[in-house]
mmCIF file of all heavy atoms in Angstrom:
data_model
loop_
_atom_site.group_PDB
_atom_site.id
_atom_site.type_symbol
_atom_site.label_atom_id
_atom_site.label_comp_id
_atom_site.label_asym_id
_atom_site.label_seq_id
_atom_site.Cartn_x
_atom_site.Cartn_y
_atom_site.Cartn_z
ATOM 1 N N ILE A 143 136.873 143.577 82.125
ATOM 2 C CA ILE A 143 135.397 143.564 81.908
ATOM 3 C C ILE A 143 134.871 144.965 81.856
ATOM 4 O O ILE A 143 135.459 145.869 82.450
ATOM 5 C CB ILE A 143 134.661 142.752 83.047
ATOM 6 C CG1 ILE A 143 134.962 143.356 84.410
ATOM 7 C CG2 ILE A 143 135.121 141.286 83.012
ATOM 8 C CD1 ILE A 143 134.129 142.737 85.530
ATOM 9 N N ARG A 144 133.724 145.086 81.236
ATOM 10 C CA ARG A 144 133.080 146.378 81.085
ATOM 11 C C ARG A 144 133.985 147.391 80.395
ATOM 12 O O ARG A 144 135.115 147.085 80.038
ATOM 13 C CB ARG A 144 132.529 146.869 82.417
ATOM 14 C CG ARG A 144 131.509 145.913 83.032
ATOM 15 C CD ARG A 144 130.553 146.657 83.941
ATOM 16 N NE ARG A 144 131.158 147.202 85.101
ATOM 17 C CZ ARG A 144 131.424 146.515 86.225
ATOM 18 N NH1 ARG A 144 131.147 145.290 86.276
ATOM 19 N NH2 ARG A 144 131.957 147.107 87.261
ATOM 20 N N SER A 145 133.515 148.622 80.237
ATOM 21 C CA SER A 145 134.250 149.573 79.377
ATOM 22 C C SER A 145 135.633 149.890 79.917
ATOM 23 O O SER A 145 136.672 149.761 79.190
ATOM 24 C CB SER A 145 133.461 150.870 79.210
ATOM 25 O OG SER A 145 133.098 151.427 80.470
ATOM 26 N N THR A 146 135.733 150.317 81.145
ATOM 27 C CA THR A 146 137.057 150.758 81.668
ATOM 28 C C THR A 146 138.008 149.541 81.794
ATOM 29 O O THR A 146 139.218 149.733 81.557
ATOM 30 C CB THR A 146 136.923 151.496 83.000
ATOM 31 O OG1 THR A 146 136.279 150.583 83.983
ATOM 32 C CG2 THR A 146 136.038 152.738 82.865
ATOM 33 N N GLY A 147 137.487 148.421 82.203
ATOM 34 C CA GLY A 147 138.316 147.261 82.343
ATOM 35 C C GLY A 147 138.899 146.725 81.052
ATOM 36 O O GLY A 147 140.025 146.297 80.977
ATOM 37 N N ARG A 148 138.017 146.902 79.978
ATOM 38 C CA ARG A 148 138.531 146.462 78.646
ATOM 39 C C ARG A 148 139.530 147.452 78.103
ATOM 40 O O ARG A 148 140.501 147.101 77.402
ATOM 41 C CB ARG A 148 137.321 146.352 77.677
ATOM 42 C CG ARG A 148 136.372 145.239 78.035
ATOM 43 C CD ARG A 148 137.007 143.916 77.785
ATOM 44 N NE ARG A 148 137.243 143.634 76.350
ATOM 45 C CZ ARG A 148 136.358 143.206 75.509
ATOM 46 N NH1 ARG A 148 135.111 142.908 75.873
ATOM 47 N NH2 ARG A 148 136.658 143.050 74.239
ATOM 48 N N ILE A 149 139.371 148.765 78.430
ATOM 49 C CA ILE A 149 140.341 149.753 78.010
ATOM 50 C C ILE A 149 141.705 149.429 78.642
ATOM 51 O O ILE A 149 142.731 149.464 77.934
ATOM 52 C CB ILE A 149 139.864 151.164 78.397
ATOM 53 C CG1 ILE A 149 138.726 151.595 77.512
ATOM 54 C CG2 ILE A 149 141.040 152.185 78.301
ATOM 55 C CD1 ILE A 149 138.041 152.886 78.009
ATOM 56 N N CYS A 150 141.676 149.071 79.910
ATOM 57 C CA CYS A 150 142.915 148.690 80.593
ATOM 58 C C CYS A 150 143.648 147.521 79.901
ATOM 59 O O CYS A 150 144.864 147.533 79.661
ATOM 60 C CB CYS A 150 142.680 148.350 82.058
ATOM 61 S SG CYS A 150 142.223 149.768 83.085
ATOM 62 N N THR A 151 142.871 146.474 79.574
ATOM 63 C CA THR A 151 143.505 145.318 79.012
ATOM 64 C C THR A 151 143.934 145.534 77.548
ATOM 65 O O THR A 151 144.916 144.963 77.072
ATOM 66 C CB THR A 151 142.627 144.062 79.098
ATOM 67 O OG1 THR A 151 141.277 144.391 78.665
ATOM 68 C CG2 THR A 151 142.544 143.567 80.537
ATOM 69 N N ASP A 152 143.153 146.398 76.849
ATOM 70 C CA ASP A 152 143.601 146.753 75.475
ATOM 71 C C ASP A 152 144.951 147.465 75.508
ATOM 72 O O ASP A 152 145.842 147.195 74.734
ATOM 73 C CB ASP A 152 142.575 147.657 74.814
ATOM 74 C CG ASP A 152 141.306 146.940 74.359
ATOM 75 O OD1 ASP A 152 141.340 145.697 74.366
ATOM 76 O OD2 ASP A 152 140.332 147.592 74.008
ATOM 77 N N ILE A 153 145.103 148.384 76.465
ATOM 78 C CA ILE A 153 146.396 149.090 76.656
ATOM 79 C C ILE A 153 147.516 148.046 77.005
ATOM 80 O O ILE A 153 148.624 148.145 76.460
ATOM 81 C CB ILE A 153 146.255 150.162 77.724
ATOM 82 C CG1 ILE A 153 145.373 151.312 77.236
ATOM 83 C CG2 ILE A 153 147.675 150.749 78.102
ATOM 84 C CD1 ILE A 153 145.059 152.333 78.244
ATOM 85 N N ALA A 154 147.210 147.144 77.929
ATOM 86 C CA ALA A 154 148.173 146.143 78.339
ATOM 87 C C ALA A 154 148.628 145.284 77.160
ATOM 88 O O ALA A 154 149.780 144.949 77.013
ATOM 89 C CB ALA A 154 147.600 145.318 79.462
ATOM 90 N N ASP A 155 147.661 144.869 76.295
ATOM 91 C CA ASP A 155 147.970 144.064 75.137
ATOM 92 C C ASP A 155 148.944 144.801 74.205
ATOM 93 O O ASP A 155 149.875 144.189 73.671
ATOM 94 C CB ASP A 155 146.723 143.684 74.412
ATOM 95 C CG ASP A 155 145.907 142.598 75.090
ATOM 96 O OD1 ASP A 155 146.469 141.902 75.977
ATOM 97 O OD2 ASP A 155 144.751 142.441 74.774
ATOM 98 N N ILE A 156 148.684 146.080 73.990
ATOM 99 C CA ILE A 156 149.560 146.872 73.112
ATOM 100 C C ILE A 156 150.946 147.060 73.678
ATOM 101 O O ILE A 156 151.957 146.905 73.022
ATOM 102 C CB ILE A 156 148.917 148.233 72.819
ATOM 103 C CG1 ILE A 156 147.637 148.101 71.995
ATOM 104 C CG2 ILE A 156 149.899 149.188 72.152
ATOM 105 C CD1 ILE A 156 147.900 147.597 70.582
ATOM 106 N N LEU A 157 150.989 147.334 74.990
ATOM 107 C CA LEU A 157 152.292 147.432 75.641
ATOM 108 C C LEU A 157 153.094 146.143 75.544
ATOM 109 O O LEU A 157 154.281 146.191 75.235
ATOM 110 C CB LEU A 157 152.081 147.834 77.134
ATOM 111 C CG LEU A 157 151.674 149.249 77.428
ATOM 112 C CD1 LEU A 157 151.192 149.407 78.845
ATOM 113 C CD2 LEU A 157 152.799 150.218 77.109
ATOM 114 N N THR A 158 152.429 145.050 75.816
ATOM 115 C CA THR A 158 153.077 143.725 75.754
ATOM 116 C C THR A 158 153.586 143.400 74.357
ATOM 117 O O THR A 158 154.698 142.905 74.204
ATOM 118 C CB THR A 158 152.125 142.619 76.252
ATOM 119 O OG1 THR A 158 151.714 142.885 77.591
ATOM 120 C CG2 THR A 158 152.820 141.254 76.222
ATOM 121 N N ALA A 159 152.738 143.742 73.375
ATOM 122 C CA ALA A 159 153.146 143.487 71.985
ATOM 123 C C ALA A 159 154.377 144.282 71.596
ATOM 124 O O ALA A 159 155.106 143.928 70.683
ATOM 125 C CB ALA A 159 151.989 143.858 71.042
ATOM 126 N N ASN A 160 154.600 145.438 72.267
ATOM 127 C CA ASN A 160 155.760 146.254 72.020
ATOM 128 C C ASN A 160 156.881 146.076 73.023
ATOM 129 O O ASN A 160 157.723 146.929 73.267
ATOM 130 C CB ASN A 160 155.320 147.713 71.980
ATOM 131 C CG ASN A 160 154.595 148.097 70.683
ATOM 132 O OD1 ASN A 160 155.178 148.445 69.687
ATOM 133 N ND2 ASN A 160 153.272 148.012 70.753
ATOM 134 N N ARG A 161 156.837 144.893 73.705
ATOM 135 C CA ARG A 161 157.885 144.420 74.589
ATOM 136 C C ARG A 161 158.037 145.243 75.872
ATOM 137 O O ARG A 161 159.153 145.345 76.399
ATOM 138 C CB ARG A 161 159.260 144.344 73.810
ATOM 139 C CG ARG A 161 159.212 143.386 72.657
ATOM 140 C CD ARG A 161 160.557 143.281 72.012
ATOM 141 N NE ARG A 161 160.507 142.328 70.897
ATOM 142 C CZ ARG A 161 161.573 142.043 70.144
ATOM 143 N NH1 ARG A 161 162.790 142.608 70.362
ATOM 144 N NH2 ARG A 161 161.462 141.170 69.136
ATOM 145 N N HIS A 162 156.946 145.785 76.313
ATOM 146 C CA HIS A 162 156.931 146.492 77.631
ATOM 147 C C HIS A 162 156.229 145.530 78.635
ATOM 148 O O HIS A 162 155.617 144.535 78.218
ATOM 149 C CB HIS A 162 156.224 147.812 77.532
ATOM 150 C CG HIS A 162 156.793 148.767 76.586
ATOM 151 N ND1 HIS A 162 158.054 149.345 76.783
ATOM 152 C CD2 HIS A 162 156.337 149.263 75.421
ATOM 153 C CE1 HIS A 162 158.331 150.159 75.799
ATOM 154 N NE2 HIS A 162 157.304 150.096 74.887
ATOM 155 N N ASP A 163 156.324 145.867 79.891
ATOM 156 C CA ASP A 163 155.711 145.076 80.927
ATOM 157 C C ASP A 163 154.557 145.873 81.558
ATOM 158 O O ASP A 163 154.673 147.060 81.740
ATOM 159 C CB ASP A 163 156.725 144.720 82.025
ATOM 160 C CG ASP A 163 156.109 143.691 82.963
ATOM 161 O OD1 ASP A 163 156.064 142.523 82.629
ATOM 162 O OD2 ASP A 163 155.716 144.085 84.119
ATOM 163 N N CYS A 164 153.435 145.226 81.811
ATOM 164 C CA CYS A 164 152.282 145.919 82.353
ATOM 165 C C CYS A 164 151.557 145.085 83.366
ATOM 166 O O CYS A 164 151.393 143.874 83.226
ATOM 167 C CB CYS A 164 151.311 146.251 81.223
ATOM 168 S SG CYS A 164 149.891 147.235 81.747
ATOM 169 N N LYS A 165 151.162 145.733 84.461
ATOM 170 C CA LYS A 165 150.314 145.131 85.471
ATOM 171 C C LYS A 165 149.054 145.997 85.642
ATOM 172 O O LYS A 165 149.153 147.197 85.506
ATOM 173 C CB LYS A 165 151.056 144.970 86.812
ATOM 174 C CG LYS A 165 152.235 144.066 86.793
ATOM 175 C CD LYS A 165 151.825 142.623 86.500
ATOM 176 C CE LYS A 165 153.036 141.691 86.580
ATOM 177 N NZ LYS A 165 152.670 140.341 86.182
ATOM 178 N N ILE A 166 147.981 145.361 85.929
ATOM 179 C CA ILE A 166 146.693 146.076 86.165
ATOM 180 C C ILE A 166 146.224 145.740 87.605
ATOM 181 O O ILE A 166 145.842 144.631 87.860
ATOM 182 C CB ILE A 166 145.613 145.665 85.170
ATOM 183 C CG1 ILE A 166 146.092 145.947 83.742
ATOM 184 C CG2 ILE A 166 144.317 146.480 85.426
ATOM 185 C CD1 ILE A 166 145.105 145.407 82.672
ATOM 186 N N ALA A 167 146.303 146.692 88.429
ATOM 187 C CA ALA A 167 145.786 146.568 89.827
ATOM 188 C C ALA A 167 144.285 146.889 89.796
ATOM 189 O O ALA A 167 143.914 147.982 89.338
ATOM 190 C CB ALA A 167 146.566 147.480 90.753
ATOM 191 N N TYR A 168 143.513 146.002 90.329
ATOM 192 C CA TYR A 168 142.068 146.209 90.282
ATOM 193 C C TYR A 168 141.463 145.857 91.624
ATOM 194 O O TYR A 168 142.082 145.253 92.506
ATOM 195 C CB TYR A 168 141.419 145.298 89.219
ATOM 196 C CG TYR A 168 141.383 143.844 89.581
ATOM 197 C CD1 TYR A 168 140.207 143.244 90.029
ATOM 198 C CD2 TYR A 168 142.534 143.041 89.502
ATOM 199 C CE1 TYR A 168 140.168 141.886 90.375
ATOM 200 C CE2 TYR A 168 142.511 141.712 89.863
ATOM 201 C CZ TYR A 168 141.318 141.157 90.285
ATOM 202 O OH TYR A 168 141.286 139.810 90.661
ATOM 203 N N GLY A 169 140.235 146.316 91.863
ATOM 204 C CA GLY A 169 139.638 146.164 93.197
ATOM 205 C C GLY A 169 138.486 145.234 93.356
ATOM 206 O O GLY A 169 138.230 144.798 94.530
ATOM 207 N N ARG A 170 137.796 144.911 92.276
ATOM 208 C CA ARG A 170 136.578 144.159 92.470
ATOM 209 C C ARG A 170 136.207 143.303 91.228
ATOM 210 O O ARG A 170 136.732 143.475 90.191
ATOM 211 C CB ARG A 170 135.418 145.105 92.763
ATOM 212 C CG ARG A 170 135.313 146.259 91.798
ATOM 213 C CD ARG A 170 134.401 147.362 92.303
ATOM 214 N NE ARG A 170 133.113 146.837 92.670
ATOM 215 C CZ ARG A 170 132.319 147.364 93.594
ATOM 216 N NH1 ARG A 170 132.677 148.433 94.256
ATOM 217 N NH2 ARG A 170 131.110 146.892 93.859
ATOM 218 N N GLU A 171 135.347 142.310 91.505
ATOM 219 C CA GLU A 171 134.802 141.404 90.496
ATOM 220 C C GLU A 171 135.867 140.459 89.956
ATOM 221 O O GLU A 171 137.021 140.543 90.408
ATOM 222 C CB GLU A 171 134.040 142.167 89.466
ATOM 223 C CG GLU A 171 132.862 142.982 90.017
ATOM 224 C CD GLU A 171 131.969 143.572 89.020
ATOM 225 O OE1 GLU A 171 131.507 142.829 88.150
ATOM 226 O OE2 GLU A 171 131.631 144.748 89.059
#
């Protein structure tokens, strides 16, 4: 969500599409 949260998930989607593994540790909401 919001700008930085969407940047994180966009990066995760690209990594996953290229057969890498990604986790996003977050703190709120």
Side-chain angles (χ1 to χ4, degrees):
I143 60 172
R144 301 207 294 277
S145 56
T146 60
R148 293 290 294 276
I149 288 170
C150 288
T151 48
D152 284 349
I153 292 172
D155 285 342
I156 292 294
L157 286 167
T158 302
N160 285 274
R161 299 184 179 180
H162 300 292
D163 190 78
C164 183
K165 296 295 182 186
I166 302 171
Y168 72 103
R170 52 194 303 153
E171 302 191 50

